[in-house]
Amino acid sequence: MTYPTQPKASHFVNGAYLEDADGTAIDVIYAASGERIAQLHAATPKVIEAAITAARAAQPKWAAMTGTERGRILRRAADIMRERNHELSVLETYDTGKPYQETSVVDATSGADALEYFGGMAATLTGEHIPLGEDWVYTRREPLGVCVGIGAWNYPTQIACWKGAPALACGNAMIFKPSETTPLCALKVAEILHEAGLPAGLYNVIQGMGEVGSALVSDPRVDKVSLTGSVATGRKVYAAAADGMKHVTMELGGKSPLIIFDDADIENAVSGAILGNFYSSGQVCSNGTRVFVHKKIKEAFLSRLKERLEGAVIGDPQDPDTSFGPMVSERQMEIVKGYIAKGQAEGARLVCGGAQLPRDGFYLEPTVFADVVDDMTIAREEIFGPVMAVLDFEDETDVLARANDTPFGLAAGVFTRDLARAHRVAAAFEAGTCYINTYNDAPVEAPFGGVKASGVGRENSKAAIEYYSQIKSVYVRMGDLEAPF
Ligand code: NDP
């Protein structure tokens, strides 16, 4: 079978597709079949140089345009993304293996939202006037310069837009390096931005593994790095960025708690647990994978959860009826299988799932473990797959201490009908994003990001502007100036 997935070239640099076949070959594998659906090449030093040179050359003119002009281009790109949603969603499904049912409503849509939101904000980015008697200070909000975005493989279109849109709105240029596992979607984002009128050199996409990302991060002509990835990569990138005193945003991993009290609406709580564990086959950073369920309702919760999971339609992710697809890669599937084996070896009770499906591609069953205790590996480490760990609790103070007893702090959720308790618990959570009677919403209007090892900085919302711009204070003296000598 041939797939409509081979891009015109591996990279998009200075407003055009660019190839350099000397780069290491990157095979793009369709997770639902195991077949190769495209082959690209990692960026050579020549390509990296071309991207940095183009970005540096284009950025000052872009920054000198008015916010209204910049914003208009971003909003036009949002419109094109919406018009091409079907094509982009099909491509995202090939790139990641995620069901079209999800990609058609989440990925390009959320990317378009970011372009529209930051496009609208571009014209509102102003400084302040600070009176000091008859003198005054004014501030200028200025771009950082050249920003590098490095993406994970779970939301390739969304991540390319979440980083690109605020960077461009603020007057920066962007060089985006997708994950080598999902290199296709960001090229389309670059193509659409240029179709919308973005001048050449401002949004470049170059492919490669960690080494390409690492070369970008350590280049002195790069001013900012925004990474979405694991904590281990985050540590390396943060250290390399510190060396050059660069600005950073780090969107890293998590092991988020979801607490379900005995007064919760069980059906809603089960929905929350499903959204927080099995969407995108569990490959979502903010997933609530430690599900603390009050002892009184534990068995009722588990039996309803099992029933609902049996209703998952597992199959060809391009089929709109499919609601549960494969893992992104064989490697990721093997990692997750290792965690399932550890869960069993350490004494957790397998409620359902646990096996690879006997079909082509990298399919794992939705898996639930009960009777998990805090120090089991599956309760401590990020699995990044369709594996839910259910733990018991009885007391609010005790469960909060256990929920916060983790190096991560990306997200947390609570299901209860007691409003006072809901807000008390949300306030006590050590997490960047908290959910009350819902889970895993991430609209562009709200800040998104983690605390503790889960990250630095925020994406989306007005908060993102702080991470893609800097403030200059300009002092103005109206009268004569006195000096001691
Ligand atoms: P990785 O950390 O393995 O990779 C992330 C990106 O960093 C990839 O593009 C990778 O390139 C690149 N990279 C790797 N090493 C370096 C380096 N030394 N210097 C610069 N770049 C480097 O993460 P995954 O792609 O496996 O994604 C899964 C992880 O991402 C999970 O931990 C998940 O929680 C997290 N994540 C966080 C989100 C958030 O918003 N907080 C959202 C989504 C995912 P390559 O892989 O091509 O070698």
Side-chain angles (χ1 to χ4, degrees):
M1 180 170 176
T2 51
Y3 296 96
T5 42
Q6 180 67 40
K8 286 185 196 144
S10 299
H11 318 289
F12 195 99
V13 172
N14 205 16
Y17 276 100
L18 174 71
E19 191 55 90
D20 182 351
D22 288 345
T24 314
I26 297 174
D27 287 337
V28 187
I29 306 296
Y30 185 31
S33 67
E35 292 167 271
R36 187 174 84 180
I37 56 169
Q39 190 179 56
L40 284 74
H41 293 95
T44 55
K46 226 160 65 188
V47 170
I48 297 174
E49 185 58 34
I52 297 175
T53 307
R56 281 219 82 84
Q59 189 269 331
K61 233 176 161 181
W62 176 246
M65 281 165 66
T66 66
T68 306
E69 288 168 323
R70 287 199 302 271
R72 193 177 303 133
I73 292 170
L74 298 184
R75 292 199 311 278
R76 208 178 289 140
D79 289 343
I80 301 173
M81 276 190 90
R82 291 216 168 86
E83 281 156 22
R84 288 170 63 176
N85 185 58
H86 172 69
E87 173 204 339
L88 296 170
S89 305
V90 167
L91 186 69
E92 171 111 9
T93 290
Y94 279 128
D95 217 4
T96 60
K98 294 193 293 182
Y100 177 82
Q101 200 184 87
E102 282 183 35
T103 56
S104 58
V105 295
V106 173
D107 300 88
T109 309
S110 139
D113 284 354
L115 290 165
E116 186 172 352
Y117 179 88
F118 288 107
M121 193 174 276
T124 72
L125 303 175
T126 54
E128 274 186 293
H129 171 260
I130 304 159
L132 293 171
E134 65 174 22
D135 299 333
W136 42 283
V137 176
Y138 66 91
T139 62
R140 290 169 49 88
R141 184 170 285 283
E142 298 185 341
L144 302 175
V146 172
C147 303
V148 161
I150 301 177
W153 40 256
N154 57 346
Y155 285 90
T157 307
Q158 184 193 74
I159 295 172
C161 294
W162 278 20
K163 298 190 189 305
L168 292 171
C170 291
N172 302 287
M174 161 76 48
I175 303 170
F176 186 77
K177 191 208 82 70
S179 163
E180 62 166 302
T181 312
T182 53
L184 304 177
C185 296
L187 290 168
K188 283 284 166 201
V189 173
E191 206 181 272
I192 287 170
L193 279 163
H194 288 82
E195 198 179 316
L198 187 74
L202 291 166
Y203 190 91
N204 308 278
V205 174
I206 66 173
Q207 310 294 344
M209 294 114 204
E211 305 91 76
V212 172
S214 179
L216 288 170
V217 174
S218 50
D219 193 290
R221 292 166 295 172
V222 166
D223 303 288
K224 190 226 155 83
V225 182
S226 175
L227 169 80
T228 297
S230 61
V231 174
T233 304
R235 286 209 168 92
K236 285 189 221 158
V237 171
Y238 203 177
D243 214 34
M245 210 57 89
K246 297 177 203 292
H247 297 254
V248 296
T249 304
M250 297 277 147
E251 292 291 353
L252 309 176
K255 187 74 192 177
S256 301
L258 173 56
I259 304 178
I260 300 172
F261 283 94
D262 52 345
D263 65 343
D265 177 302
I266 294 222
E267 206 57 31
N268 284 335
V270 169
S271 293
I274 290 174
L275 287 170
N277 281 272
F278 299 112
Y279 213 68
S280 296
S281 281
Q283 304 164 114
V284 180
C285 51
S286 48
N287 271 355
T289 47
R290 287 183 295 142
V291 184
F292 294 92
V293 185
H294 196 282
K295 253 192 178 151
K296 272 197 208 154
I297 58 162
K298 182 182 78 173
E299 290 310 326
F301 171 87
L302 285 172
S303 81
R304 187 62 189 131
L305 175 68
K306 191 162 177 264
E307 256 171 44
R308 295 263 305 263
L309 289 178
E310 280 159 6
V313 181
I314 305 179
D316 172 4
Q318 295 289 357
D319 180 341
D321 290 332
T322 297
S323 56
F324 187 85
M327 309 285 315
V328 74
S329 64
E330 186 167 18
R331 181 172 168 269
Q332 187 62 19
M333 180 181 71
E334 291 304 327
I335 291 172
V336 177
K337 278 163 71 179
Y339 277 110
I340 293 172
K342 262 192 194 147
Q344 286 174 302
E346 291 177 14
R349 164 164 63 105
L350 189 63
V351 176
C352 60
Q356 181 181 350
L357 289 169
R359 55 180 296 156
D360 287 343
F362 317 126
Y363 287 85
L364 277 183
E365 293 174 318
T367 299
V368 177
F369 281 108
D371 304 337
V372 176
V373 295
D374 296 341
D375 59 357
M376 285 181 185
T377 309
I378 58 167
R380 301 223 58 86
E381 295 182 14
E382 183 183 45
I383 298 175
F384 225 60
V387 181
M388 183 196 289
V390 177
L391 304 92
D392 304 350
F393 79 95
E394 284 178 292
D395 172 71
E396 180 183 318
T397 310
D398 171 59
V399 75
L400 263 171
R402 292 166 62 202
N404 286 333
D405 180 20
T406 166
F408 299 106
L410 192 54
V414 55
F415 277 78
T416 176
R417 285 194 174 95
D418 178 339
L419 269 184
R421 173 157 63 194
H423 294 292
R424 193 164 62 231
V425 168
F429 275 142
E430 294 169 5
T433 304
C434 295
Y435 299 104
I436 296 175
N437 294 332
T438 181
Y439 206 86
N440 260 351
D441 315 65
V444 68
E445 293 86 350
F448 183 82
V451 302
K452 304 200 289 191
S454 291
V456 175
R458 291 292 177 270
E459 293 197 306
N460 289 343
S461 81
K462 286 182 229 155
I465 297 300
E466 298 303 326
Y467 295 92
Y468 284 100
S469 61
Q470 57 198 341
I471 291 172
K472 176 186 280 173
S473 297
V474 182
Y475 286 77
V476 181
R477 176 85 177 177
M478 298 302 284
D480 291 335
L481 194 58
E482 283 173 23
F485 309 106

